[in-house]
Amino acid sequence: MGQEAFHQYYQDLYGDRWRELHAALISPVRCTVAVVNPFCRDHAWRSKVSGTASPEWDAILLPQIFSEVPFPAPSTFGLELYPYYLLDHASAIAALLLNLTPETLYADFCAAPGGKSLVALFKQQGPVAALLNEPSQDRCRRLKSNLSLYLPSNLMKDVTLTSYDGRRFGLHRPDSFDTILLDVPCSSERHVLLDQNELAHWKPKRSKLLGELQFSLLCSAFSALKKNGQILYSTCALAPQENEKQIERLLKKRPGQVEVISHPLLEKYFEKRPYGYLALPDQQGMGPLFCCLLKKN
Ligand SMILES: C[S@@+](CC[C@H](N)C(=O)[O-])C[C@H]1O[C@@H](n2cnc3c(N)ncnc32)[C@H](O)[C@@H]1O
């Protein structure tokens, strides 16, 4: 029942594209990239993974992103810090949209396990005053452990970890942050498709219910953002209800106070949606990931 309803729902949304998109979503091939940790100064690990690394993304992203899979799961290789973080290529690109500086205050409201914030901190390569929030205790522990595996202790002193519901920040920290990453909980259809139990229990109202949480988080982030600050809203959902429709709702609720902005990386690697950009595995070879950069006027 759930499976049939799922296919019908996404067939209606994606039409003829659904067949190929579905095949790409259930395919084991994923575009995982290894983002090199600039804080790990010892490069001895490279000889241990040589042969798997290809500097394919050199020119376009960080100087050191390698993209061939299977790439070995990271470990310390006898070093103090883990030398690279593995994540989907679309997520790495999204993280590179965040411009963190030593003068600005950065927040990640839904932070665990921490991949995108780590890549943003790798890009900055120096101290950033950051608040990383994750309400789930288990996931917060994982976030904390990842931070200590990848960041030197002198950087950690500028990072604050909290465990609140992200919907509270708008009220409790209004006009506070220069940059907010809002990588919200979402339908994660790829995971649903790969889990027979989840698929059997899937219901069309899933996106609607998550959409309410996502919109509350987006409004909270908007209130917590300083003037001229930026929010990066992202999901790994396919449903427009969780993606561009949320942006549309915010634009309607705050007319003239918020604008969608573009970025060359999004133009180049993602497809344009009515609001924001989407990367899907059938055409972009990565994702699913929806991203929208918003600026507060
Ligand atoms: C897509 S994941 C974040 C992934 C993370 N940004 C990364 O790149 O590694 C969404 C996270 O939001 C958290 N979350 C769920 N409800 C939340 C809420 N009300 N406020 C803040 N975070 C929430 C989930 O526990 C989950 O860890």
Side-chain angles (χ1 to χ4, degrees):
M1 168 60 195
Q3 184 166 355
E4 260 173 48
F6 181 95
H7 283 284
Q8 193 57 56
Y9 186 81
Y10 289 98
Q11 168 83 55
D12 290 348
L13 285 173
Y14 281 89
D16 291 345
R17 186 175 176 181
W18 177 239
R19 215 165 64 92
E20 282 196 8
L21 179 54
H22 173 250
L25 287 166
I26 58 172
S27 143
V29 182
R30 298 201 61 177
C31 187
T32 303
V33 292
V35 184
V36 176
N37 182 358
F39 304 114
C40 177
R41 307 262 179 228
D42 190 329
H43 292 182
W45 63 273
R46 284 170 192 259
S47 59
K48 298 183 183 148
V49 299
S50 66
T52 40
S54 85
E56 195 183 329
W57 305 103
D58 257 8
I60 49 160
L61 299 173
L62 284 176
Q64 300 188 330
I65 286 195
F66 300 120
S67 78
E68 249 167 54
V69 277
F71 211 82
S75 75
T76 59
F77 297 98
L79 311 170
E80 256 178 54
L81 297 173
Y82 276 27
Y84 54 83
Y85 191 92
L86 293 179
L87 77 175
D88 184 82
H89 185 204
S91 294
I93 294 176
L96 296 175
L97 306 176
L98 297 163
N99 282 323
L100 312 188
T101 74
E103 293 78 34
T104 54
L105 187 51
Y106 166 67
D108 178 349
F109 283 3
C110 315
K116 294 188 191 70
S117 279
L118 276 174
V119 175
L121 291 163
F122 290 175
K123 180 185 166 203
Q124 159 58 11
Q125 297 198 16
V128 173
L131 182 149
L132 306 185
N133 178 70
E134 168 56 53
S136 148
Q137 295 300 323
D138 277 358
R139 290 178 66 87
C140 199
R141 268 192 290 278
R142 183 148 169 239
L143 170 67
K144 195 172 174 186
S145 152
N146 272 342
L147 295 174
S148 65
L149 291 171
Y150 284 91
L151 299 181
S153 44
N154 64 319
L155 247 84
M156 284 296 288
K157 69 179 171 24
D158 298 313
V159 177
T160 306
L161 273 182
T162 60
S163 206
Y164 299 124
D165 185 322
R167 290 172 286 190
R168 293 179 56 184
F169 285 100
L171 195 62
H172 296 283
R173 299 286 301 272
D175 306 311
S176 299
F177 303 101
D178 299 277
T179 305
I180 298 176
L181 170 60
L182 194 65
D183 190 26
V184 292
C186 70
S187 284
S188 302
E189 291 92 339
R190 178 172 229 154
H191 294 117
V192 175
L193 272 170
L194 297 174
D195 182 328
Q196 287 310 313
N197 189 39
E198 281 226 33
L199 191 53
H201 291 99
W202 183 89
K203 294 204 170 67
K205 68 175 182 218
R206 188 178 163 108
S207 285
K208 192 169 187 300
L209 294 175
L210 277 162
E212 291 318 309
L213 170 61
Q214 291 158 349
F215 192 61
S216 302
L217 284 166
L218 187 53
C219 292
S220 166
F222 184 79
S223 300
L225 191 68
K226 285 185 194 164
K227 198 171 164 217
N228 292 321
Q230 288 188 8
I231 296 174
L232 174 62
Y233 175 86
S234 61
T235 81
C236 58
L238 301 173
Q241 201 162 11
E242 299 179 46
N243 297 339
E244 57 260 38
K245 294 286 179 198
Q246 297 299 341
I247 308 300
E248 190 179 13
R249 274 175 92 179
L250 184 69
L251 292 169
K252 279 197 182 135
K253 187 175 162 135
R254 305 283 194 158
Q257 296 174 48
V258 57
E259 65 180 297
V260 174
I261 53 176
S262 185
H263 191 287
L265 285 175
L266 290 174
E267 293 287 343
K268 185 162 180 183
Y269 293 103
F270 284 54
E271 61 184 61
K272 211 166 179 346
R273 301 295 303 171
Y275 300 102
Y277 295 79
L278 188 62
L280 293 176
D282 62 331
Q283 290 187 10
Q284 284 75 35
M286 55 186 165
L289 193 77
F290 171 82
C291 281
C292 186
L293 265 178
L294 295 162
K295 181 171 171 241
K296 187 171 189 172
N297 292 325

